[in-house]
Amino acid sequence: MTDHSNDEIISQTEVSTQDNGHELPAKWKKSLSLAQAASRGTISFDLLSKAKQKWCPKDAFRAENSCRVASSMNTDGFRSLKSEAIVSYDAVRYQLAEGITNVIATCEPRVRETGLAKVHLAFDPHFIRGQSLKRHKGKLNGGAFRTAAGQAFQETYLRFVCEVIAPHLRELMPDEDRIVFQAFPCLRIAPPSVNRIGHPHCDSMYYHQAGQINFWIPLTRAYGSNTLWAESEPAREDYHPLEAGPGQMVRFYGNRCTHFTVPNDTPDARVSLDMRAVPGSCYDPDPPESRNANGPMFSIGGYYAEARYDPATRRWAPV
């Protein structure tokens, strides 16, 4: 998925100036510069904001912090995993969109009528483009996922990891019998807007380890300006929309590939999940770049969960 038509690719120059004809905010452009530095592997502690310097492990960017699992990552299988690709799955068997609809319906029942692509109208029938949904986010994070609907969704997600993500990973790395994965996926809602959501970044800027692969899972049609934009390889700067829909997910190396959103000028909200997975042989339980004064920031039993492959049954199961 690295061949993009000319009208889909935004060059570095265009990204720095394109925002509905207006100059981009200096903060956004600075974020893009930092993300590009991270993508090239040239970011340093001194480039971070003072707020991030207080939180960041100061030694995270030291050149002598060699990756302990470098040999496992320097394989054809892992290099294939790092390449951008669309991966299909059975959306009827794994009803992720229906599960999220049920979760949202616990706090906003109108979503059953509007559907996920118009979820902004479920939250506010008088929604105005550019209006923020932040005040509704607390409802979802505050309890919706702790309901019976939330538990049912989590069960579907774990089954999806064990029956889709893990086997896909093993196809490319046949010797793998363990996967470490994000215990709960991130839910993203990008309504029609005149603003960008978030800032350009690579996941390594948030201290995620290098063996981590992103799986981005749209639950509505993701296209044009409502979707996530990314470069196909680190430092390539061939920013393009990740276009997919229900029954498809995009695999990409978000750890080092810059990604961001643009103002959503479509009539549809984009609702998506994203999760991260690490092949067992590439997992470092205590990488220098992910450690602060309290120890590892991302550990199994917290941010991560794990699953193992049983050769007798040829199935994966959570540990």
Side-chain angles (χ1 to χ4, degrees):
M1 192 176 156
T2 56
D3 293 328
H4 310 288
S5 62
N6 291 333
D7 60 346
E8 286 182 326
I9 297 175
I10 292 185
S11 70
Q12 178 179 352
T13 301
E14 289 173 316
V15 165
S16 66
T17 59
Q18 179 177 329
D19 198 1
N20 293 332
H22 301 288
E23 182 70 14
L24 282 168
K27 187 175 181 180
W28 199 93
K29 290 194 287 186
K30 181 178 180 181
S31 295
L32 179 63
S33 296
L34 283 174
Q36 290 169 338
S39 185
R40 293 190 300 268
T42 58
I43 195 170
S44 68
F45 181 82
D46 294 336
L47 290 175
L48 301 178
S49 67
K50 290 183 179 179
K52 281 192 175 181
Q53 285 182 358
K54 290 181 179 179
W55 184 59
C56 173
K58 188 167 186 177
D59 293 338
F61 302 109
R62 287 170 54 189
E64 57 267 35
N65 279 340
S66 60
C67 181
R68 304 174 192 178
V69 290
S71 60
S72 298
M73 293 171 58
N74 190 28
T75 62
D76 290 340
F78 188 75
R79 281 190 287 270
S80 295
L81 273 178
K82 288 167 60 178
S83 65
E84 184 183 307
I86 290 181
V87 180
S88 297
Y89 68 91
D90 187 340
V92 175
R93 180 175 175 81
Y94 306 100
Q95 297 191 356
L96 299 173
E98 292 81 358
I100 288 298
T101 298
N102 291 338
V103 170
I104 295 176
T106 64
C107 60
E108 188 42 79
R110 281 188 297 242
V111 71
R112 298 193 188 282
E113 300 172 14
T114 65
L116 288 179
K118 303 295 183 184
V119 66
H120 49 293
L121 297 179
F123 284 120
D124 186 347
H126 304 292
F127 179 87
I128 299 173
R129 183 183 297 274
Q131 181 178 326
S132 172
L133 295 181
K134 283 186 177 180
R135 66 189 180 92
H136 302 286
K137 189 175 180 181
K139 297 179 182 178
L140 292 175
N141 294 337
F145 282 100
R146 292 196 289 271
T147 62
Q151 181 59 40
F153 168 77
Q154 181 66 3
E155 291 173 0
T156 299
Y157 170 68
L158 290 176
R159 191 161 55 87
F160 179 77
V161 170
C162 289
E163 297 178 9
V164 179
I165 300 288
H168 171 72
L169 181 150
R170 188 175 165 86
E171 283 181 12
L172 297 176
M173 300 182 73
D175 294 332
E176 292 296 328
D177 60 2
R178 180 184 181 227
I179 181 177
V180 178
F181 63 94
Q182 192 170 331
F184 198 89
C186 297
L187 171 64
R188 316 285 186 182
I189 301 176
S193 181
V194 295
N195 303 310
R196 297 167 183 261
I197 298 176
H199 294 279
H201 66 279
C202 300
D203 287 1
S204 61
M205 296 170 65
Y206 297 96
Y207 322 118
H208 288 278
Q209 60 181 278
Q212 192 172 259
I213 301 296
N214 294 54
F215 290 89
W216 185 78
I217 311 162
L219 305 181
T220 57
R221 183 185 168 217
Y223 64 99
S225 62
N226 82 0
T227 189
L228 184 68
W229 290 62
E231 57 185 346
S232 60
E233 296 176 8
R236 189 165 182 178
E237 298 183 15
D238 58 340
Y239 308 115
H240 58 280
L242 302 184
E243 299 197 327
Q248 297 176 312
M249 58 182 168
V250 181
R251 183 195 73 219
F252 74 107
Y253 192 44
N255 186 267
R256 288 283 297 277
C257 287
T258 298
H259 47 287
F260 53 84
T261 66
V262 299
N264 179 4
D265 63 3
T266 78
D268 299 320
R270 181 258 299 164
V271 181
S272 60
L273 302 171
D274 52 85
M275 61 85 70
R276 293 144 186 84
V278 187
S281 65
C282 299
Y283 176 70
D284 187 339
D286 189 13
E289 67 270 22
S290 303
R291 186 191 309 127
N292 61 20
N294 298 317
M297 290 186 280
F298 307 102
S299 57
I300 295 173
Y303 180 84
Y304 285 126
E306 65 177 318
R308 292 186 180 269
Y309 178 73
D310 183 349
T313 62
R314 297 183 178 182
R315 294 180 180 274
W316 291 82
V319 175

